[in-house]
Amino acid sequence: MKSHLPCNFKIIKTATSFLFGLILLFSCTDSKKEAVFFTADLADYIVDTLYLEKDTLTRSLPQGFAFMEQNGQSFLFGVIGRRMYQYSYPSGKLEGTVDFEIEGPDGIGGFVSGDLVTEDGIFFISDQKAIVHTDFHGKVLDRFPLPNVPEERLAVNFSVVNGNRMHYDKEKRQLILADVPFVLKEPNMAYEDWVWRYDLENGIANPVSFSYPEIYSAYYDDPELGLYSHIFLAMENLHLVSFPVTDSLLVMDGKSAKWVNSKSSAPLVFQKGRTEQRGEYMVFSPSMETSRYKWVIFEPMSQLLLRYVDIETKILESGRVQNKSSFVLHNLDFETIGELFFNNRQIAPSGFATPDGYYFKLLNPASDDVEEYVRIVFELP
Protein backbone atom coordinates (compact mmCIF):
# COMPACT_ATOMS: atom_id res chain seq x y z
CA MET A 1 0.00 0.00 0.00
CA LYS A 2 1.38 3.39 -0.96
CA SER A 3 1.83 5.96 1.78
CA HIS A 4 1.19 9.65 1.42
CA LEU A 5 2.53 12.71 3.19
CA PRO A 6 0.41 13.69 6.21
CA CYS A 7 -1.05 17.17 6.35
CA ASN A 8 -0.72 17.85 10.10
CA PHE A 9 2.94 18.84 10.65
CA LYS A 10 3.55 19.70 14.34
CA ILE A 11 7.31 20.19 14.54
CA ILE A 12 8.77 23.03 12.53
CA LYS A 13 12.46 23.63 13.20
CA THR A 14 13.36 26.35 10.73
CA ALA A 15 11.76 29.33 9.09
CA THR A 16 12.01 27.58 5.76
CA SER A 17 10.32 24.47 7.00
CA PHE A 18 7.74 26.67 8.77
CA LEU A 19 6.90 28.38 5.47
CA PHE A 20 6.79 25.04 3.70
CA GLY A 21 4.48 23.73 6.42
CA LEU A 22 2.09 26.66 5.99
CA ILE A 23 1.97 26.13 2.24
CA LEU A 24 1.38 22.42 2.68
CA LEU A 25 -1.28 22.98 5.33
CA PHE A 26 -3.08 25.48 3.11
CA SER A 27 -2.87 23.09 0.19
CA CYS A 28 -4.21 20.14 2.18
CA THR A 29 -7.02 22.16 3.70
CA ASP A 30 -8.35 24.06 0.72
CA SER A 31 -7.74 21.80 -2.25
CA LYS A 32 -9.60 18.66 -3.17
CA LYS A 33 -7.89 15.59 -1.79
CA GLU A 34 -6.53 13.43 -4.58
CA ALA A 35 -7.26 9.71 -4.58
CA VAL A 36 -4.24 7.60 -3.66
CA PHE A 37 -4.10 4.32 -5.58
CA PHE A 38 -3.56 1.18 -3.50
CA THR A 39 -3.63 -2.59 -3.97
CA ALA A 40 -4.74 -5.27 -1.51
CA ASP A 41 -6.48 -8.62 -1.24
CA LEU A 42 -10.27 -8.67 -1.27
CA ALA A 43 -10.14 -11.18 1.61
CA ASP A 44 -8.63 -8.47 3.83
CA TYR A 45 -12.05 -6.74 3.87
CA ILE A 46 -14.11 -9.76 4.93
CA VAL A 47 -15.79 -9.05 8.26
CA ASP A 48 -18.06 -12.08 8.69
CA THR A 49 -19.97 -14.84 6.90
CA LEU A 50 -23.68 -15.29 6.19
CA TYR A 51 -24.93 -18.90 6.10
CA LEU A 52 -28.03 -19.65 4.01
CA GLU A 53 -29.58 -23.04 4.61
CA LYS A 54 -30.62 -25.29 1.72
CA ASP A 55 -33.58 -27.64 1.49
CA THR A 56 -33.41 -31.13 0.00
CA LEU A 57 -34.42 -29.90 -3.48
CA THR A 58 -31.68 -27.29 -3.71
CA ARG A 59 -28.39 -28.03 -5.40
CA SER A 60 -27.07 -24.48 -5.53
CA LEU A 61 -28.24 -21.03 -4.47
CA PRO A 62 -27.87 -17.87 -6.60
CA GLN A 63 -24.90 -15.54 -6.27
CA GLY A 64 -27.18 -12.52 -6.00
CA PHE A 65 -30.16 -11.67 -3.80
CA ALA A 66 -32.40 -8.65 -3.35
CA PHE A 67 -32.54 -7.16 0.15
CA MET A 68 -36.01 -5.98 1.20
CA GLU A 69 -37.78 -4.89 4.36
CA GLN A 70 -41.37 -5.98 4.93
CA ASN A 71 -43.44 -5.31 8.05
CA GLY A 72 -40.39 -4.38 10.07
CA GLN A 73 -38.46 -7.50 9.08
CA SER A 74 -35.54 -7.93 6.68
CA PHE A 75 -35.45 -10.55 3.94
CA LEU A 76 -33.35 -11.74 1.02
CA PHE A 77 -35.09 -12.81 -2.18
CA GLY A 78 -33.23 -14.71 -4.89
CA VAL A 79 -34.12 -16.63 -8.05
CA ILE A 80 -32.26 -19.46 -9.73
CA GLY A 81 -33.87 -21.17 -12.69
CA ARG A 82 -37.61 -21.06 -12.08
CA ARG A 83 -37.39 -21.16 -8.30
CA MET A 84 -37.48 -18.25 -5.85
CA TYR A 85 -35.99 -18.38 -2.36
CA GLN A 86 -36.92 -16.16 0.58
CA TYR A 87 -34.57 -15.93 3.58
CA SER A 88 -34.79 -13.98 6.78
CA TYR A 89 -31.84 -11.65 7.24
CA PRO A 90 -29.38 -11.83 8.89
CA SER A 91 -30.32 -15.22 10.41
CA GLY A 92 -30.18 -17.03 7.05
CA LYS A 93 -33.28 -19.05 7.85
CA LEU A 94 -35.17 -20.28 4.80
CA GLU A 95 -38.67 -18.80 5.03
CA GLY A 96 -40.07 -20.34 1.86
CA THR A 97 -39.71 -21.13 -1.83
CA VAL A 98 -41.89 -20.62 -4.89
CA ASP A 99 -41.67 -22.75 -8.04
CA PHE A 100 -42.84 -20.88 -11.13
CA GLU A 101 -44.81 -22.68 -13.82
CA ILE A 102 -43.53 -23.06 -17.37
CA GLU A 103 -46.84 -22.93 -19.25
CA GLY A 104 -50.38 -21.78 -18.70
CA PRO A 105 -51.77 -18.46 -17.43
CA ASP A 106 -49.02 -18.26 -14.79
CA GLY A 107 -46.25 -19.68 -16.96
CA ILE A 108 -42.97 -17.79 -17.29
CA GLY A 109 -41.70 -19.82 -20.26
CA GLY A 110 -39.34 -22.67 -20.91
CA PHE A 111 -36.23 -20.51 -21.38
CA VAL A 112 -35.66 -17.68 -18.91
CA SER A 113 -32.61 -15.56 -19.78
CA GLY A 114 -32.85 -13.08 -16.94
CA ASP A 115 -34.76 -11.99 -13.87
CA LEU A 116 -35.00 -8.99 -11.57
CA VAL A 117 -36.54 -9.02 -8.09
CA THR A 118 -38.16 -5.70 -7.12
CA GLU A 119 -40.60 -4.43 -4.52
CA ASP A 120 -43.28 -4.58 -7.23
CA GLY A 121 -42.63 -8.24 -7.98
CA ILE A 122 -40.32 -10.17 -10.29
CA PHE A 123 -39.55 -9.50 -13.95
CA PHE A 124 -38.51 -12.45 -16.13
CA ILE A 125 -37.13 -12.37 -19.71
CA SER A 126 -39.12 -15.22 -21.24
CA ASP A 127 -38.24 -17.20 -24.39
CA GLN A 128 -36.83 -14.06 -26.10
CA LYS A 129 -40.44 -13.03 -26.65
CA ALA A 130 -41.74 -11.23 -23.58
CA ILE A 131 -41.07 -9.72 -20.19
CA VAL A 132 -43.25 -11.54 -17.66
CA HIS A 133 -44.14 -9.70 -14.45
CA THR A 134 -45.13 -11.88 -11.48
CA ASP A 135 -45.89 -11.46 -7.83
CA PHE A 136 -43.99 -13.26 -5.05
CA HIS A 137 -46.42 -16.20 -5.05
CA GLY A 138 -46.00 -17.31 -8.66
CA LYS A 139 -48.95 -15.46 -10.18
CA VAL A 140 -48.37 -13.63 -13.48
CA LEU A 141 -49.46 -10.00 -13.24
CA ASP A 142 -48.67 -8.85 -16.78
CA ARG A 143 -46.78 -9.62 -19.98
CA PHE A 144 -44.92 -7.16 -22.19
CA PRO A 145 -43.56 -7.99 -25.67
CA LEU A 146 -39.82 -7.50 -26.01
CA PRO A 147 -38.68 -4.57 -28.17
CA ASN A 148 -38.57 -5.21 -31.91
CA VAL A 149 -35.08 -5.11 -33.40
CA PRO A 150 -34.13 -4.93 -37.10
CA GLU A 151 -32.89 -7.92 -39.10
CA GLU A 152 -29.32 -6.59 -39.22
CA ARG A 153 -29.09 -7.24 -35.47
CA LEU A 154 -29.03 -10.96 -36.40
CA ALA A 155 -29.84 -13.14 -33.36
CA VAL A 156 -31.43 -11.07 -30.61
CA ASN A 157 -30.45 -12.02 -27.04
CA PHE A 158 -32.09 -10.03 -24.25
CA SER A 159 -30.24 -11.39 -21.26
CA VAL A 160 -28.43 -10.75 -17.99
CA VAL A 161 -25.42 -12.78 -19.18
CA ASN A 162 -21.92 -11.37 -18.50
CA GLY A 163 -23.03 -9.30 -15.54
CA ASN A 164 -25.65 -7.27 -17.37
CA ARG A 165 -28.33 -6.30 -14.90
CA MET A 166 -31.86 -5.13 -15.46
CA HIS A 167 -32.93 -1.99 -13.63
CA TYR A 168 -36.44 -1.01 -12.56
CA ASP A 169 -37.71 2.48 -11.75
CA LYS A 170 -40.78 2.06 -9.55
CA GLU A 171 -42.03 5.65 -9.88
CA LYS A 172 -41.64 5.87 -13.67
CA ARG A 173 -42.57 2.21 -14.23
CA GLN A 174 -39.55 1.80 -16.48
CA LEU A 175 -37.38 -1.26 -17.01
CA ILE A 176 -33.87 -1.12 -18.48
CA LEU A 177 -32.54 -4.29 -20.12
CA ALA A 178 -29.70 -5.28 -22.45
CA ASP A 179 -29.52 -7.16 -25.74
CA VAL A 180 -26.17 -8.99 -25.58
CA PRO A 181 -24.65 -10.71 -28.65
CA PHE A 182 -24.00 -14.46 -28.34
CA VAL A 183 -20.86 -13.77 -30.35
CA LEU A 184 -19.82 -10.58 -32.10
CA LYS A 185 -20.38 -10.62 -35.87
CA GLU A 186 -19.26 -8.12 -38.50
CA PRO A 187 -22.79 -6.63 -39.01
CA ASN A 188 -22.91 -5.89 -35.26
CA MET A 189 -20.19 -3.25 -35.65
CA ALA A 190 -22.66 -0.93 -37.39
CA TYR A 191 -25.41 -1.66 -34.87
CA GLU A 192 -26.05 0.70 -31.93
CA ASP A 193 -29.31 -0.10 -30.13
CA TRP A 194 -27.93 -2.53 -27.56
CA VAL A 195 -29.69 -1.33 -24.39
CA TRP A 196 -33.39 -0.52 -24.10
CA ARG A 197 -35.43 1.64 -21.74
CA TYR A 198 -38.91 0.12 -21.60
CA ASP A 199 -41.83 2.24 -20.39
CA LEU A 200 -44.18 -0.41 -19.02
CA GLU A 201 -46.99 2.09 -18.51
CA ASN A 202 -47.52 2.73 -22.21
CA GLY A 203 -45.59 -0.16 -23.77
CA ILE A 204 -43.00 2.02 -25.51
CA ALA A 205 -39.34 1.03 -25.70
CA ASN A 206 -36.52 3.44 -26.61
CA PRO A 207 -32.90 2.48 -27.23
CA VAL A 208 -29.82 3.62 -25.33
CA SER A 209 -27.37 3.62 -28.24
CA PHE A 210 -23.63 3.05 -28.42
CA SER A 211 -21.18 1.40 -30.81
CA TYR A 212 -18.47 -1.19 -30.36
CA PRO A 213 -14.96 0.31 -30.63
CA GLU A 214 -13.21 -0.50 -33.91
CA ILE A 215 -10.69 -2.77 -32.16
CA TYR A 216 -13.41 -5.41 -31.77
CA SER A 217 -13.28 -6.19 -35.50
CA ALA A 218 -10.38 -8.43 -34.43
CA TYR A 219 -12.63 -10.44 -32.08
CA TYR A 220 -15.49 -11.66 -34.27
CA ASP A 221 -16.97 -15.05 -33.32
CA ASP A 222 -15.40 -15.01 -29.86
CA PRO A 223 -18.04 -15.69 -27.15
CA GLU A 224 -15.88 -14.10 -24.46
CA LEU A 225 -14.09 -11.12 -26.01
CA GLY A 226 -17.12 -9.81 -27.90
CA LEU A 227 -19.52 -9.41 -24.97
CA TYR A 228 -20.14 -6.02 -23.40
CA SER A 229 -21.54 -5.46 -19.89
CA HIS A 230 -23.91 -2.63 -18.93
CA ILE A 231 -25.26 -1.21 -15.69
CA PHE A 232 -27.40 1.83 -14.94
CA LEU A 233 -26.62 4.13 -12.00
CA ALA A 234 -30.00 5.59 -11.11
CA MET A 235 -28.82 8.23 -8.63
CA GLU A 236 -26.40 9.64 -11.23
CA ASN A 237 -28.61 8.87 -14.27
CA LEU A 238 -25.61 7.28 -15.96
CA HIS A 239 -25.16 4.23 -18.16
CA LEU A 240 -21.82 2.42 -17.83
CA VAL A 241 -20.56 0.01 -20.48
CA SER A 242 -17.55 -2.26 -20.00
CA PHE A 243 -15.90 -3.87 -23.04
CA PRO A 244 -13.68 -6.96 -22.56
CA VAL A 245 -10.37 -5.76 -24.06
CA THR A 246 -10.78 -2.03 -23.36
CA ASP A 247 -9.10 -0.52 -20.30
CA SER A 248 -11.63 2.33 -20.16
CA LEU A 249 -15.31 2.51 -19.29
CA LEU A 250 -17.89 4.15 -21.54
CA VAL A 251 -20.05 6.56 -19.49
CA MET A 252 -23.28 7.97 -20.96
CA ASP A 253 -25.89 10.33 -19.55
CA GLY A 254 -28.31 10.29 -22.49
CA LYS A 255 -26.92 13.51 -23.97
CA SER A 256 -23.19 12.87 -24.15
CA ALA A 257 -20.65 10.09 -23.72
CA LYS A 258 -17.11 9.93 -22.43
CA TRP A 259 -14.42 7.34 -21.73
CA VAL A 260 -12.88 7.09 -18.26
CA ASN A 261 -9.73 5.21 -17.35
CA SER A 262 -10.35 1.85 -15.67
CA LYS A 263 -7.12 -0.04 -16.15
CA SER A 264 -5.87 -2.95 -14.06
CA SER A 265 -2.42 -2.58 -12.56
CA ALA A 266 -1.68 -6.19 -13.58
CA PRO A 267 -0.37 -7.09 -17.08
CA LEU A 268 -3.19 -8.50 -19.24
CA VAL A 269 -2.91 -10.87 -22.22
CA PHE A 270 -5.91 -11.10 -24.57
CA GLN A 271 -6.16 -14.35 -26.51
CA LYS A 272 -8.82 -14.78 -29.19
CA GLY A 273 -10.74 -18.04 -29.15
CA ARG A 274 -11.27 -20.44 -32.05
CA THR A 275 -14.26 -21.06 -34.28
CA GLU A 276 -14.56 -24.51 -35.83
CA GLN A 277 -16.99 -26.04 -38.30
CA ARG A 278 -17.99 -29.51 -37.14
CA GLY A 279 -20.36 -31.03 -39.65
CA GLU A 280 -23.51 -28.95 -39.73
CA TYR A 281 -22.60 -27.07 -36.57
CA MET A 282 -20.34 -24.14 -35.81
CA VAL A 283 -18.48 -24.64 -32.53
CA PHE A 284 -17.16 -21.62 -30.64
CA SER A 285 -14.18 -22.35 -28.39
CA PRO A 286 -13.18 -19.31 -26.33
CA SER A 287 -9.77 -19.15 -24.71
CA MET A 288 -10.38 -19.81 -21.04
CA GLU A 289 -6.88 -18.51 -20.23
CA THR A 290 -7.39 -15.08 -21.78
CA SER A 291 -7.53 -11.93 -19.72
CA ARG A 292 -10.77 -9.97 -19.99
CA TYR A 293 -12.48 -7.01 -18.42
CA LYS A 294 -15.99 -7.95 -17.40
CA TRP A 295 -18.82 -6.31 -15.47
CA VAL A 296 -19.14 -3.37 -13.09
CA ILE A 297 -20.75 -3.57 -9.66
CA PHE A 298 -22.07 -0.60 -7.69
CA GLU A 299 -21.58 -0.92 -3.92
CA PRO A 300 -24.04 1.56 -2.36
CA MET A 301 -22.78 1.64 1.23
CA SER A 302 -19.26 2.76 0.26
CA GLN A 303 -20.42 4.51 -2.95
CA LEU A 304 -17.82 2.59 -4.95
CA LEU A 305 -17.75 1.09 -8.43
CA LEU A 306 -16.01 -2.27 -8.78
CA ARG A 307 -14.89 -3.36 -12.26
CA TYR A 308 -14.29 -7.08 -12.38
CA VAL A 309 -11.16 -8.22 -14.24
CA ASP A 310 -10.35 -11.86 -14.99
CA ILE A 311 -6.57 -11.40 -15.14
CA GLU A 312 -5.19 -14.88 -15.63
CA THR A 313 -6.30 -18.50 -15.51
CA LYS A 314 -3.80 -21.36 -15.63
CA ILE A 315 -4.20 -25.12 -15.67
CA LEU A 316 -1.36 -26.56 -13.63
CA GLU A 317 0.39 -29.88 -14.28
CA SER A 318 -1.67 -31.40 -11.49
CA GLY A 319 -4.82 -30.47 -13.40
CA ARG A 320 -5.80 -27.90 -10.79
CA VAL A 321 -7.04 -24.56 -12.09
CA GLN A 322 -5.30 -21.45 -10.76
CA ASN A 323 -6.93 -18.05 -11.18
CA LYS A 324 -6.07 -14.44 -10.50
CA SER A 325 -8.85 -11.86 -10.67
CA SER A 326 -9.44 -8.38 -9.29
CA PHE A 327 -11.83 -5.51 -8.81
CA VAL A 328 -10.61 -2.14 -10.07
CA LEU A 329 -12.12 0.41 -7.66
CA HIS A 330 -13.56 3.79 -8.64
CA ASN A 331 -15.31 6.50 -6.70
CA LEU A 332 -18.32 8.24 -8.25
CA ASP A 333 -15.99 10.85 -9.78
CA PHE A 334 -14.55 7.90 -11.74
CA GLU A 335 -11.14 8.25 -10.16
CA THR A 336 -9.29 4.92 -10.04
CA ILE A 337 -8.51 4.55 -6.36
CA GLY A 338 -7.35 0.97 -5.97
CA GLU A 339 -7.44 -2.69 -6.96
CA LEU A 340 -8.44 -5.68 -4.85
CA PHE A 341 -7.25 -9.13 -5.90
CA PHE A 342 -8.99 -12.49 -5.41
CA ASN A 343 -9.41 -15.99 -6.85
CA ASN A 344 -12.66 -16.38 -8.80
CA ARG A 345 -12.57 -20.13 -8.12
CA GLN A 346 -12.97 -19.38 -4.42
CA ILE A 347 -15.03 -16.17 -4.34
CA ALA A 348 -17.79 -15.49 -6.85
CA PRO A 349 -17.22 -12.23 -8.77
CA SER A 350 -20.81 -11.00 -8.36
CA GLY A 351 -22.95 -10.57 -5.29
CA PHE A 352 -25.55 -8.39 -3.60
CA ALA A 353 -25.88 -5.31 -1.42
CA THR A 354 -27.37 -4.91 2.04
CA PRO A 355 -27.31 -1.95 4.46
CA ASP A 356 -24.55 -3.81 6.32
CA GLY A 357 -22.19 -4.28 3.38
CA TYR A 358 -21.76 -6.26 0.20
CA TYR A 359 -21.88 -10.08 0.06
CA PHE A 360 -19.98 -12.43 -2.24
CA LYS A 361 -20.68 -16.15 -2.43
CA LEU A 362 -17.95 -18.62 -1.44
CA LEU A 363 -17.69 -21.28 -4.15
CA ASN A 364 -16.35 -24.11 -1.94
CA PRO A 365 -18.68 -24.26 1.08
CA ALA A 366 -17.67 -26.38 4.04
CA SER A 367 -21.07 -28.09 4.20
CA ASP A 368 -23.65 -29.39 1.70
CA ASP A 369 -26.45 -28.11 3.96
CA VAL A 370 -25.65 -24.40 3.70
CA GLU A 371 -24.05 -21.95 1.33
CA GLU A 372 -21.70 -19.25 2.56
CA TYR A 373 -21.58 -15.58 1.65
CA VAL A 374 -18.78 -13.37 2.94
CA ARG A 375 -19.63 -9.81 3.92
CA ILE A 376 -17.27 -7.14 2.65
CA VAL A 377 -16.99 -3.70 4.22
CA PHE A 378 -14.75 -1.32 2.32
CA GLU A 379 -12.88 0.81 4.85
CA LEU A 380 -10.38 2.23 2.41
CA PRO A 381 -7.25 4.28 3.11
Side-chain angles (χ1 to χ4, degrees), residues 61 63 82 141 143 183 342:
L61 292 174
Q63 294 182 14
R82 282 184 292 274
L141 303 175
R143 300 177 189 270
V183 293
F342 66 99

Side-chain angles (χ1 to χ4, degrees), residues 261-305:
N261 178 57
S262 183
K263 186 176 182 179
S264 171
S265 63
L268 304 182
V269 178
F270 302 108
Q271 301 177 11
K272 189 178 185 298
R274 301 188 310 275
T275 303
E276 303 176 47
Q277 187 76 40
R278 297 182 185 174
E280 298 179 357
Y281 300 98
M282 187 71 74
V283 178
F284 301 104
S285 302
S287 168
M288 298 314 296
E289 296 182 358
T290 184
S291 305
R292 59 267 211 193
Y293 289 100
K294 296 182 78 71
W295 50 81
V296 176
I297 294 169
F298 173 60
E299 204 292 284
M301 191 172 84
S302 60
Q303 297 286 286
L304 289 176
L305 298 166

Side-chain angles (χ1 to χ4, degrees), residues 175-326:
L175 189 70
I176 296 174
L177 68 165
D179 174 13
V180 189
F182 292 104
V183 293
L184 192 66
K185 297 285 188 179
E186 184 175 1
N188 296 146
M189 294 297 286
Y191 190 73
E192 295 184 341
D193 297 340
W194 294 109
V195 174
W196 291 81
R197 185 186 293 269
Y198 201 135
D199 189 326
L200 302 178
E201 198 67 40
N202 55 34
I204 296 176
N206 292 304
V208 178
S209 302
F210 60 89
S211 301
Y212 268 81
E214 186 59 36
I215 190 176
Y216 289 89
S217 60
Y219 295 99
Y220 295 150
D221 297 327
D222 190 312
E224 277 291 336
L225 301 184
L227 304 187
Y228 73 85
S229 179
H230 162 272
I231 66 164
F232 178 65
L233 300 180
M235 70 289 183
E236 303 287 330
N237 194 33
L238 293 176
H239 295 268
L240 271 61
V241 181
S242 174
F243 292 97
V245 303
T246 305
D247 58 16
S248 299
L249 291 172
L250 178 61
V251 181
M252 302 176 291
D253 64 3
K255 298 178 182 178
S256 61
K258 65 179 180 179
W259 291 92
V260 297
N261 178 57
S262 183
K263 186 176 182 179
S264 171
S265 63
L268 304 182
V269 178
F270 302 108
Q271 301 177 11
K272 189 178 185 298
R274 301 188 310 275
T275 303
E276 303 176 47
Q277 187 76 40
R278 297 182 185 174
E280 298 179 357
Y281 300 98
M282 187 71 74
V283 178
F284 301 104
S285 302
S287 168
M288 298 314 296
E289 296 182 358
T290 184
S291 305
R292 59 267 211 193
Y293 289 100
K294 296 182 78 71
W295 50 81
V296 176
I297 294 169
F298 173 60
E299 204 292 284
M301 191 172 84
S302 60
Q303 297 286 286
L304 289 176
L305 298 166
L306 289 67
R307 190 188 194 190
Y308 167 41
V309 191
D310 194 341
I311 297 170
E312 181 182 55
T313 301
K314 291 182 178 180
I315 300 178
L316 305 179
E317 292 183 1
S318 63
R320 188 170 62 88
V321 178
Q322 177 179 290
N323 175 265
K324 182 179 182 180
S325 294
S326 74

Side-chain angles (χ1 to χ4, degrees), residues 9-312:
F9 284 96
K10 295 183 178 179
I11 302 176
I12 309 294
K13 292 187 176 180
T14 67
T16 302
S17 60
F18 177 73
L19 179 60
F20 173 76
L22 285 178
I23 294 172
L24 183 60
L25 180 63
F26 179 81
S27 171
C28 292
T29 303
D30 292 352
S31 65
K32 182 180 178 180
K33 183 180 180 181
E34 294 184 1
V36 178
F37 184 86
F38 72 98
T39 61
D41 290 331
L42 180 65
D44 294 342
Y45 297 88
I46 296 175
V47 294
D48 57 28
T49 304
L50 171 68
Y51 299 91
L52 299 184
E53 59 186 26
K54 297 192 294 186
D55 61 16
T56 56
L57 299 177
T58 300
R59 179 179 178 183
S60 179
L61 292 174
Q63 294 182 14
F65 285 85
F67 172 88
M68 294 185 192
E69 293 183 338
Q70 296 178 350
N71 301 320
Q73 293 181 288
S74 299
F75 298 98
L76 298 175
F77 292 88
V79 176
I80 189 167
R82 282 184 292 274
R83 197 172 205 219
M84 186 199 74
Y85 295 83
Q86 178 181 350
Y87 287 90
S88 60
Y89 176 84
S91 71
K93 179 183 177 182
L94 180 62
E95 297 291 341
T97 62
V98 175
D99 291 302
F100 293 88
E101 297 179 12
I102 297 176
E103 300 177 337
D106 290 319
I108 64 171
F111 174 63
V112 174
S113 56
D115 63 76
L116 178 67
V117 181
T118 75
E119 293 180 353
D120 282 353
I122 308 171
F123 295 93
F124 295 95
I125 303 175
S126 172
D127 293 325
Q128 291 301 309
K129 295 179 180 179
I131 300 164
V132 180
H133 182 202
T134 75
D135 65 13
F136 290 93
H137 305 287
K139 180 178 177 56
V140 170
L141 303 175
D142 214 338
R143 300 177 189 270
F144 307 91
L146 284 171
N148 292 320
V149 300
E151 292 183 2
E152 55 265 32
R153 166 61 185 90
L154 303 180
V156 66
N157 182 35
F158 287 98
S159 175
V160 296
V161 70
N162 200 48
N164 283 279
R165 299 190 177 196
M166 290 190 283
H167 174 80
Y168 177 65
D169 187 319
K170 179 181 176 70
E171 293 184 2
K172 296 181 180 178
R173 287 269 295 162
Q174 289 185 348
L175 189 70
I176 296 174
L177 68 165
D179 174 13
V180 189
F182 292 104
V183 293
L184 192 66
K185 297 285 188 179
E186 184 175 1
N188 296 146
M189 294 297 286
Y191 190 73
E192 295 184 341
D193 297 340
W194 294 109
V195 174
W196 291 81
R197 185 186 293 269
Y198 201 135
D199 189 326
L200 302 178
E201 198 67 40
N202 55 34
I204 296 176
N206 292 304
V208 178
S209 302
F210 60 89
S211 301
Y212 268 81
E214 186 59 36
I215 190 176
Y216 289 89
S217 60
Y219 295 99
Y220 295 150
D221 297 327
D222 190 312
E224 277 291 336
L225 301 184
L227 304 187
Y228 73 85
S229 179
H230 162 272
I231 66 164
F232 178 65
L233 300 180
M235 70 289 183
E236 303 287 330
N237 194 33
L238 293 176
H239 295 268
L240 271 61
V241 181
S242 174
F243 292 97
V245 303
T246 305
D247 58 16
S248 299
L249 291 172
L250 178 61
V251 181
M252 302 176 291
D253 64 3
K255 298 178 182 178
S256 61
K258 65 179 180 179
W259 291 92
V260 297
N261 178 57
S262 183
K263 186 176 182 179
S264 171
S265 63
L268 304 182
V269 178
F270 302 108
Q271 301 177 11
K272 189 178 185 298
R274 301 188 310 275
T275 303
E276 303 176 47
Q277 187 76 40
R278 297 182 185 174
E280 298 179 357
Y281 300 98
M282 187 71 74
V283 178
F284 301 104
S285 302
S287 168
M288 298 314 296
E289 296 182 358
T290 184
S291 305
R292 59 267 211 193
Y293 289 100
K294 296 182 78 71
W295 50 81
V296 176
I297 294 169
F298 173 60
E299 204 292 284
M301 191 172 84
S302 60
Q303 297 286 286
L304 289 176
L305 298 166
L306 289 67
R307 190 188 194 190
Y308 167 41
V309 191
D310 194 341
I311 297 170
E312 181 182 55

